[in-house]
Amino acid sequence: MPGSGGWLRRQLATGAGPDHLWSGDGQGQILQRFPEKDWEGNPFPQGIELFCQPSGWQLFSERNPPTFFVAVLTDINSERHYCACFTFWEAENGAEENGDEEEESSSLIQPAQLFAPKSLVLVSRLDHTEVFRNSLGLIYTIYVDGLSASLENVIGNLLTCTIPITGGAQRTISLGAGDRQVIQTPINDSLPVSCCSVALLFRQLGITNVLCLFCAALTEHKILFLSNSYQRLTDACRALLALMFPLKYSFTYVPILPAHLLEVLSTPTPFIIGVNSIFQSETQELLDVIIADLDGGTVTIPECIHISLLPEPLLHQTREALSMVLAASSAGFSVPDHCLLPLLQDKEIRAVFLRLFAQLLQGYRWCLHIIRIHPEPVIRFHKAAFLGQRGLVEDDFLTKVLEGMAFAGFVTERGAPYRAIDLFDELVAWEVKRMRAEEGNKQKILRHIKELAEQLYKNENPYPAVTMHKVQKPAEGCHLRLHLRPFPRLDEGTVQWIIDQATAKLQTAPPAVKAEKKCMVPSGPPIAAIMERNGSAQANSARRLEVVRNCISYVFENKMLEAKKLLPAVLRAMKGRAARHCLTQELNLHVQQNRAVLDHQQFDFIVRMMNCCLQDCTAMDEHGIAAALLPLVTAFCRKLSPGITQFAYSCVQEHVVWTNTQFWEAMFYCDVQNHIRALYLESNEENHVDEEPREEKSALEIASEQRRLWPTMSREKQQELIQKEESTVFSQAIHYANRVSYLLLPLDTSKNRLLRSSGLGDVESVSNSFVTNSIAGSVAESYDTESGFEDAESSDVANYVVRFINRFVDKVCTESGVTHEHLKGLHTMIPDIVQMHIETLDAVHRESKRLPPIQKPKLLRPSLLVGEECVMEGLRVYLMPDGREEAAGGNIGGPQLLPAEGAIFLTTYRIVFKGTPMDALVGEQVVIRSFPIASLTKEKKINVQAQVDQFIQEGLQLRSCTFQLLRIAFDEEVASESAEVFRKHLHKLRYPQHVRGTFAFTVGQSPKQAMQPKAKEKNPSLRTLSKNLVKNAKKTIGRQYVTRKKYTPPSWERSSSPHFQEDNEDEISGQESTLTPSTTIKPSDKMTMSNVVERACCRDYQRMGLGTLSNSLTRSKNEPFRISTVNRMYAICRSYPGLLIVPQSIQDNTIQRISRCYRQNRFPVICWRNSRTKAVLLRSGGLHGKGVVGLFKSPNAPTAGQSQTDSTSLEQEKYLQAVINSMPHYEESWTSTLRWEPARPVTPPSLAGKWGSIRASGRMSNYVLNMEIGSRLAGKDLLNAQHNGAPSEGSFLRQHRASLYIIGDKSQLKVTSDPLQHWEVVPIEVFDVRQVKASFKKLMKACVPGCTAADPSLTYLRSLEESEWLSQIHKILQISVLVVELLDAGSSVLVSLEDGWDLTTQVVSLVQLLSDPYYRTMEGFRLLVEKEWLSFGHRFSHRGAQTLAGQSSGFAPIFLQFLDCVHQIHLQFPLEFEFTQYYLKFLGYHHVSNRFRTFLLDSDYERIELGLLYEEKGERKSQQVYKSIWDYIDRLNKKTPIFFNYVYAPEDGEVLRPYSNISNLKVWDYYTQETLSEGPSYDWELVQRQPDHVEEADRQDSSTPQTKRKIIWPCYDNRSRVEPDAISKLLEELQTLEMELHQVPERWKDLWDKVKASQRTDARGRVGQALGALQSAMSCLAWDGTGPVGPESQLGSFSPRLPGIEPFPPPPRPCLDANPLPGSRRSYEGSLYKKGAFMKPWKPRWFVLDKTKHQLRYYDNRMDTECKGVIDLAEVETITPGTPTMGAPKAVEEKAFFDLKTTKRVYNFCAQDVQLAQQWIDRIQSCLSDA
C-alpha cells in the first residue's frame, strides 16, 4: 500500500575512543531516523546498528569504496524486515565538527588521518533489493557529488512512494532528483523471488553439496554459511529458502550475523545463519553445525551428524536433472539476452526442485483429515497412511520431513480446501502422472523443466520489456576525494511535513484491494492410482487371497475341519499386506448391525486370525490394518452365559499399536471427518431430493463448498453449523474414550499387573501371550470378586488408563475446537467409563475361566533305553525348521513336518523332542529328533516366533556334532524358570566333573547315586598305580591260559570277542614325570602282562609275524623285531600301549633315551609290516627341536666333549638303522637297481593295484609316480638344490630310493637328508587341530544351517566350499596313498606328524586299511581301531570335550574325519569291504554318544588307573546294558545283517589306491540325512520299537481292500527300513516264515554262507560269477514278483568295478501290491493298451503273464521294476472279444480288442493287431485251464 515502503533510518556511528576503535570493539549509534515515530503496526527493530557493521565498528587508515548489502531481521511475530545498508567512510576529524552527539577525549593523541564508517539504512517489510540499492545510491550521489536536489525531499518521497499491489502490477516512481524507477511485483506472491541466487549457489558449491544442504535444512539440521562477502551470504540463504518451496523455513534465519551475536551459534534449535569468514576460527568448536564455505566451495559435515538423503530413485533423478540443466544452455527461451542466462538457469534449477516436491508429496491431499469446517477449517495430516501408501515407511528422510515444523506449516497453509492456488498446487494435482510417464526420457524431462522455469521467470518479471530505469550514480573514484564534507544533518521537520502531506492525500484516495481468486484446491489422483503395482505380485497373491476367503467362509459355515486345514496357510499369508486387507474386508461382510455373535470355536478362529493380522503391524499402523480391525473387535463376540458377552477386543489387546497415541488420534480424526461429511451430505439430500444421484463428494470437496458459501450465510445459520460440528466432535470423543478403555484394560488382574509395571507404551515390554478361550487353562490365580475397583492393583491400572484417555481427549478436543464446558464434562465422564468397563470385564473374566481350555496335543513320551532315565519331564515346546528345507516342505515339495508341537525331554543319555507337525495335513505323523547329550557342541538362547499368529518367544538352539539341530521355542505355558533349570541340567550332564559322571558309567544308576570321585592327582604315586595293576590282574587269574590259547597263531579268525577299550592322552608332555622301569616293574606284574598280551595290538603283531612274547617274557632272537615290555608300566610314554614292537637289536634303556627327543615321548614304533615286501610302517610324535639338528647331521666322527644331545642323536640314528637292517632286501644294492629311466618304467607285477575304481584290472604303478606324489605333497621346498652341491631332491628321488622315508611336518623338518644315509625326509604341510575344528564348525553350519537361506542349494554349496572339509579329506587321502605306494615299493615309512595322536593316527590307519584286506573285514576294522586309536592313545576325552575340564577346548572331529575317509574309499571300492556304510555311521555316532565306555578316556594308562581295562573279562554282563561297543555290534550283527555288505567280494592281497581329488569326493550322507519318524537310527532298540504303532494304525484304517503301497517322505522315513533291499527283505520273510511254521529261525549269516557255498564253483572267481551264483541260489527262495527276473535284473549284472557307485546297487524294488510266492517267473509278456477305470483314458502298459503266481501284472514300460497293478487270474470269469470305446487307439482293427471279466470289474484291452490279441487270449485261457 502507499507509504508502506518502510522507513529510512540514517545511522551514523562513531567509536567511544581511539583505543577501542582500533581494537574493533566500537559501538555504532543512530544519528537520525525518519520518521521519528514508528509506523502504525510496524515497530522499529532494535539493535539495527549491529547489522550495519556485522564485523564490528572500527576506524580505517584509508577510505574504502562504498558497500551495499541487505540484512534480514526477524521480529517477535516471525515477520521479516529487510535492512538495506549502504556504507561509506568519512574522515574522523571531520566527524568532530558534529561533536554534539560524540564523546571527545582531548587527552588522546589521534592518528594522522582516520576514516569512520557511516551507513544509510533502509528498513522495509518488502523485498525489493534493486530499488533499495538505487534509492540509497541516489542519496549518496546527491551528497558526494553535490547535486542540487534536496536530500530531505528525496527521503520524504522515498518514504511516501506508492508500491503497487501484488499480482503482477508495476509502477514508475521518482524521488525528485530527476530519477525514474520501475517497481514490479510478482504475479503470485506465494512463489519466492530468487533473482539469480540459486544459480550462484550451485556455481559456488556444486550439485552434491547443495543437495546435502537442502536435505539438511528439510531435516532440521543447523547450517552455517561462511563468506567474506555479505551480499553472497544473503544470496546463499535466500537461495536455500527458495529451493525449499513449497515448504517454508520456520526456525532461526539470519543471513548476516553480527560479531556481537556469535553466541547464537550455540543455540540448540536448528538455524540457517551466515557469518563473515574472519570468524571462521570461532566456528571450529561447533560439533553439530554443518558449515558451508561459499568462498572455498566446500561443505563440512561433523562426524556426529547423519544427514538423511532423498529416497531413491528420486535422488538419482534429481542429480541427473540438475546435471542436464547446468550443462545445457537456455537457448530455448524467448528472451535471448545473454545477461538473462543466470536468471533463466536459476529458474530451471528451481523447476527441478519444484518437480521433486511434486513427486515427493504426490497424493498428500488424500491423507488430509478435515475435522472442522466452520468457523475456520481445522486440518490434520495422516502421516502413517501417507508413508504406508507410498511404501516409504522405512525412509528416514521423508519421515523426518513429515515430522518437521516446515511440513506442519505446509499443512496449515495449503491444507485449506478453498483458497487461491499456485504453480505447485497445479503441478502436484495435474502433472504427476505426466512426470511418471516421462521417467527416463531426458528430452521430455528437460522440456517440462523449461516450461516450469518459464512460468517461474514470468512470475518474477511480468513485464520483462519495461526495464527503463534512470538513476544518477556517483562519479567514479569520488570516495577518494581529499576534502569531502561530512554527510549533513537533515532537517527532520521538512521530512515529516512531506510524510504528513502524503498521508493526508492517501486518506482521501480509494483503497487498492487485490482481487483474490479463490477456488477449490484440486486433490489430484489418489496415491494408489499413481503408484505402480507389481502385476506378478498381484497374480501371485490372488491364490492366497482366495485361501483367506475360503477359510473365513468355512468358519462361518461351521466347516471347522476344512477351516483347520486352511488355517496354517492363512496365517502364513498374513505376512502380506493384501491378505490382511482381505481379511478385514471379509470379516466386515459378516457383521450385521454392528454385532456378530459366534460360537466358541468360531470365536477362537477369528481371534487367531486377528492376532496374526495385527502381529506384523507397527505402532504407526501405516497400512491401516489396525484401523480396519478396530470396529471389528468391538463387533465380534461370543456369549459366555446369559447376559455376559465376551468381545474380541479382550483377546487382541497385547499389540503395540493400541498404546500409540498417534494411532488413536489418526483414528479419531478419520472418524470425525466421516461424521462431518455425513452431516453435510444429509443436509444436502434434504435440500435436493429430486436430483439424480451423483458421485459422492469427498470431505475436502464438501468443505470447499461450505467455505465458499460461508460469507453468504446468515449469522444464525453459521452458529447452527458451528454447534452441529462441535457436537459431532464431542460425541466422537466420548465414543473413543470407550474404545481406548476397551483395548487398554486387560481382562484379568494378573495381566493388569503386567501391563502397569511394564508400561503400556513400551514396545518390547508387552507380554508375549494372547488371550483366547484358553484363559481358563493358563491363568492360575482366581479373581477376587470382593476387591472390585478399589483393589490396589486394578485401581492403579484404572488410573493409568484414565490418565491416558485424559491426555488423548485433551489433545484432540483442543485441536478440534470443543468448548471448555464440554471438555470439562468429558473429564468427569472418563473415570466412570473406565470403572464401568472394569466391572464388565470382571464378570467376563469369571465366566471365561469356566470354559474348557483349548485342547493342546497330548505330550508323547519317548521310548528310553534300558538304564536311561528322565532327568526332566517334558517341557512343551515347538520344534522350528533348522534351515534344511526337506522337513519344512521348501522348494522340493513334500509335507511340512516342521514346525512341530510337542515336548523336549532331558534324559541321562539324550535330548529328545517328540511331537506332531503343526500342519493339519500331516498332523497324524510323529516327529522325533534327538541326539546324545555328550555330542552337544553349542547352546545359545534365541527369540523365535513359534506360530505365525503368536508373538516372539524365548527359545534355545542346541547344535550337536552328530549333525542334529534342535531349534526350539518354549510354549507360553513354560515358565522362564523352567527353561533356565533345563539349561542348567543340560550343562551339568554335558560336562560332568569326571568321566565317571558320563552315561556309560551312570547307566542303570539313579542320578543321586552317581557320586563324583575325587579329582585325581596329576602324577599318581607308583604305589597306587601298582595296586591298581595288581588288583585288576587278580580278577583274571584262572582264566589267563584258557583265554590266551584263543589268540595263538594261526587261528586268528576264530578269536573271541576282545575287551572294550578306550585310549587317549590327557597329559601335556611338559607335565609328565619320566618314570624309569627299574622303579615300577615288580615280579607280581606277570599276570597283568598276560592281560596286556591279550590286547588288540599284541594279537595283531602276532598275526603279522612282527614278534612273539612267551609266558616267561623271553625273546626270540631269530626275528628282526621283538615285542618290548619297556612301557609295561607306562613309564616311557603314558599314551602308548604297554607292549610295543621295536627292532630286535635295540635295548630297552636305549629306548628310554630316544623317547626324550620326541613330542609326548612318542618314539618310533612299528605298527604294521607289508607281508610281501617286508617294509614296515612306523609311527611317532613329531621331533623336538633339539632332536632335529642331531638326527640329520652328517655322520662325522664324534668330537671330544660331545654333548648328551649329540649322543642321543646317534642313538636315534642307530634306531632307524636297525629298522632298515631288519628289512630282508637291505643288503642288496638298491641304488643301482632303481636307476631306471623314466621312459622305461620297471614295475613288478605284484605292484599292480586298484586306483579308485572297481574294475578288475588295476593301473600299473611305478616308483617314478610315487616320487611325483611325494614331490607334490612336499611342495617346492623339497625340490630346492642342496647347499653342498648335491643334486636337487627331485632328481635325487628319481635316482635313489631310500630304505626309510620319514613323513614329517614341514615346519618341524627344515633340513634335508644326507645322501649317504638310507633314510630320507619328506616334509609336508599339514593342518592343525584348530583348522579341523574351524572347518568342522563351517561344515555343520553348511549341512544344518539353522535358518533358511534365500537360495538353499547355492548357499549350501558355497558354505561347503568355504568349510574346506573336503580339502582336508583330500589331503589325508593323498598322504595315505603316498605312504601306501612307498610301502608297496619296498621302502619303510615313518609317519612323524604333530604329537602323533591325531593326523598320524589317521594316516597310519588309512595306510593299513588300504594295504591289508584283513582290516576291511569287520573283525579287522575293529582290531585296527582298537590298536591305532585306542591303544596308541588318541585323546578321545580331550578331543570330544567329554568332561568339564575339556569344555574350553571344544570338539575336534579327528576320528570322524578318519571315518569320512574310510567312507570315501568305501564308495570307490564297494566290493572290498565286509561292512556297510551304516557301520561307519554307527561308529561315528557312538564315538561321541558316551553310551559305551569304549571311546572314553585318553589312553590305556588312564583306563588302567580307573580300573576299566580288564573289568569286563569273563564277567557275566546284563542282557541289555553293554559297556563295549564291540560287544553290542557283535550281538546286533548276529541278529540282523545291518552291518553286512552283501556285495563283499574281496580280491586276495588287493592294495587300494583311491582317487583323492575333490571332484572324486562326496559329502557323506551321515552329515545330511535325517529320519524324523524315529530319530537317529543308531540306538537299535529304540528304532525297533517304532514301526509297530504305525502298522497298527494302518490296519485300523483299513476298511477297503488294502494296499501295501507307501509314500516315502524325504527327511522323515528311514528308507532302508520302509523299502529294504531285496536280500534283506527276503531274509526277513524267510525268518517270518520259519517262525510261523514254529521252526527255530536259522541265523541269517549261516543261511547266507550256505547259499554262497552251495553255488561257489571257484573260490577265487570273479565277483560277478559269485553273485550270479548267489542269484540263482536265491531264486528258489521266493524272489519278489516285482518285475522281470531275467538276466537284466540279476544282482550280479551290474558292472563290477565302476567308480563312485553306491555301496551296493539297489536291487529291483519289491512290488508292495503283490504277495510274493515261490518260483516267480515270466510265462509270457508284451505290450497292450489298457482302458483305465471309469472316465480314464487308454494307456499302453507292459503286461507279464506269470503262471507260477497265477497273475497278470502290468508295468509302465518294459524296463520298469515297480509293478503298477495285478490281476489275479483266480478271479477271472470270462474272456470275450471287445469293442472300441471312446479314446481307443486309432488304426487298430476291431478284432484286436478283447475284454477280461473278473469278479470285481471288466478290463478292456487292445493289442497291436488281431494275431497278438489272439495269442494273449490263448495264453490266458491256457493259464486258466491249467489252474
Side-chain angles (χ1 to χ4, degrees), residues 43 127 342 381 513 545 773 786 880 1186 1240 1344 1562 1726 1734:
D127 183 14
F381 184 72
V513 179
L545 302 187
N773 67 344
E786 294 183 2
M880 308 308 295
K1186 61 183 180 182
R1240 296 191 310 163
V1344 190
K1562 303 287 188 296
F1734 181 68

Side-chain angles (χ1 to χ4, degrees), residues 477-732:
C478 61
H479 67 282
L480 298 175
R481 295 171 187 168
L482 294 177
H483 302 289
L484 271 179
R485 61 186 179 85
F487 195 88
R489 185 173 183 84
L490 304 179
D491 181 11
E492 293 92 343
T494 304
V495 176
Q496 188 62 43
W497 179 82
I498 298 173
I499 293 174
D500 293 341
Q501 289 294 319
T503 305
K505 190 183 297 184
L506 283 173
Q507 288 175 350
T508 60
V513 179
K514 178 187 176 183
E516 285 190 317
K517 296 181 180 179
K518 290 187 177 181
C519 64
M520 187 185 76
V521 181
S523 296
I527 298 177
I530 304 167
M531 301 301 292
E532 289 183 349
R533 296 296 183 187
N534 190 337
S536 62
Q538 281 187 335
N540 191 22
S541 65
R543 186 181 178 114
R544 295 181 183 174
L545 302 187
E546 190 63 31
V547 170
V548 173
R549 294 189 186 98
N550 290 341
C551 184
I552 295 173
S553 299
Y554 289 145
V555 169
F556 287 99
E557 292 168 8
N558 262 322
K559 298 179 179 178
M560 291 305 167
L561 191 59
E562 299 296 327
K564 187 178 179 182
K565 289 182 178 179
L566 289 183
L567 186 63
V570 171
L571 299 184
R572 283 194 296 272
M574 287 299 142
K575 294 290 182 185
R577 191 197 322 169
R580 282 182 266 167
H581 279 298
C582 177
L583 176 75
T584 59
Q585 293 164 4
E586 290 295 313
L587 291 179
N588 220 14
L589 298 176
H590 293 88
V591 178
Q592 297 175 351
Q593 298 178 349
N594 295 330
R595 184 64 61 92
V597 183
L598 310 173
D599 63 27
H600 296 312
Q601 215 169 359
Q602 289 174 324
F603 188 80
D604 286 334
F605 270 100
I606 297 303
V607 164
R608 283 191 73 182
M609 286 190 273
M610 283 182 172
N611 271 303
C612 184
C613 196
L614 287 166
Q615 181 171 315
D616 292 321
C617 288
T618 63
M620 290 173 59
D621 188 38
E622 63 274 4
H623 301 309
I625 306 298
L629 281 177
L630 187 58
L632 297 176
V633 298
T634 56
F636 286 101
C637 60
R638 62 175 172 186
K639 289 195 176 296
L640 298 177
S641 64
I644 297 179
T645 304
Q646 182 181 12
F647 285 88
Y649 60 73
S650 63
C651 303
V652 297
Q653 293 173 325
E654 298 188 5
H655 296 277
V656 70
V657 66
W658 308 129
T659 60
N660 183 20
T661 311
Q662 292 180 353
F663 164 76
W664 288 110
E665 290 170 10
M667 283 297 301
F668 175 80
Y669 294 144
C670 183
D671 273 3
V672 167
Q673 174 177 267
N674 292 336
H675 282 81
I676 294 286
R677 176 174 170 275
L679 179 70
Y680 287 101
L681 280 177
E682 288 171 5
S683 61
N684 288 343
E685 287 172 3
E686 292 173 5
N687 299 335
H688 307 283
V689 179
D690 300 331
E691 288 189 8
E692 295 181 2
R694 294 176 297 174
E695 286 188 16
E696 289 191 355
K697 294 182 177 180
S698 68
L700 286 177
E701 290 171 339
I702 291 173
S704 174
E705 179 69 15
Q706 288 296 317
R707 292 307 302 166
R708 185 181 64 81
L709 297 174
W710 176 254
T712 65
M713 295 180 185
S714 64
R715 179 74 178 166
E716 292 78 14
K717 179 68 173 174
Q718 289 179 346
Q719 287 299 321
E720 180 189 350
L721 293 178
I722 291 173
Q723 189 177 357
K724 281 185 176 180
E725 287 188 16
E726 200 262 348
S727 299
T728 302
V729 175
F730 178 67
S731 62
Q732 281 301 304

Side-chain angles (χ1 to χ4, degrees), residues 288-343:
D288 58 345
V289 178
I290 299 164
I291 300 175
D293 185 355
L294 297 173
D295 301 333
T298 61
V299 172
T300 306
I301 304 172
E303 291 182 0
C304 61
I305 288 181
H306 168 70
I307 298 178
S308 304
L309 296 178
L310 290 165
E312 292 291 356
L314 284 180
L315 179 61
H316 177 70
Q317 292 171 1
T318 306
R319 287 181 191 275
E320 278 197 340
L322 289 171
S323 301
M324 286 193 296
V325 166
L326 294 173
S329 66
S330 300
F333 277 100
S334 58
V335 187
D337 190 353
H338 70 278
C339 298
L340 298 177
L341 289 181
L343 289 172

Side-chain angles (χ1 to χ4, degrees), residues 919-1029:
D919 191 337
L921 298 177
V922 285
E924 299 82 8
Q925 309 301 323
V926 176
V927 170
I928 301 174
R929 182 178 280 174
S930 69
F931 58 80
I933 294 174
S935 67
L936 179 69
T937 58
K938 188 173 183 181
E939 172 258 334
K940 71 173 181 179
K941 289 184 178 180
I942 56 172
N943 289 324
V944 66
Q945 184 181 343
Q947 298 186 47
V948 184
D949 61 334
Q950 283 193 352
F951 294 89
I952 304 301
Q953 294 170 250
E954 289 184 1
L956 286 177
Q957 181 169 297
L958 308 173
R959 190 180 287 278
S960 159
C961 59
T962 61
F963 290 83
Q964 294 295 338
L965 183 76
L966 280 172
R967 185 178 173 85
I968 57 173
F970 291 104
D971 191 84
E972 56 185 7
E973 72 180 37
V974 177
S976 56
E977 295 80 8
S978 301
E980 194 59 32
V981 170
F982 176 86
R983 289 183 65 241
K984 288 181 179 177
H985 275 296
L986 176 61
H987 187 270
K988 187 176 179 181
L989 288 169
R990 172 62 182 92
Y991 298 108
Q993 294 286 340
H994 189 267
V995 73
R996 282 197 178 276
T998 57
F999 176 71
F1001 286 92
T1002 61
V1003 57
Q1005 306 173 13
S1006 65
K1008 294 180 181 178
Q1009 296 173 349
M1011 300 296 292
Q1012 295 295 338
K1014 295 179 181 179
K1016 66 171 184 175
E1017 301 171 6
K1018 285 187 177 178
N1019 297 312
S1021 65
L1022 302 180
R1023 181 176 300 174
T1024 305
L1025 185 59
S1026 300
K1027 280 182 181 178
N1028 285 334
L1029 286 170

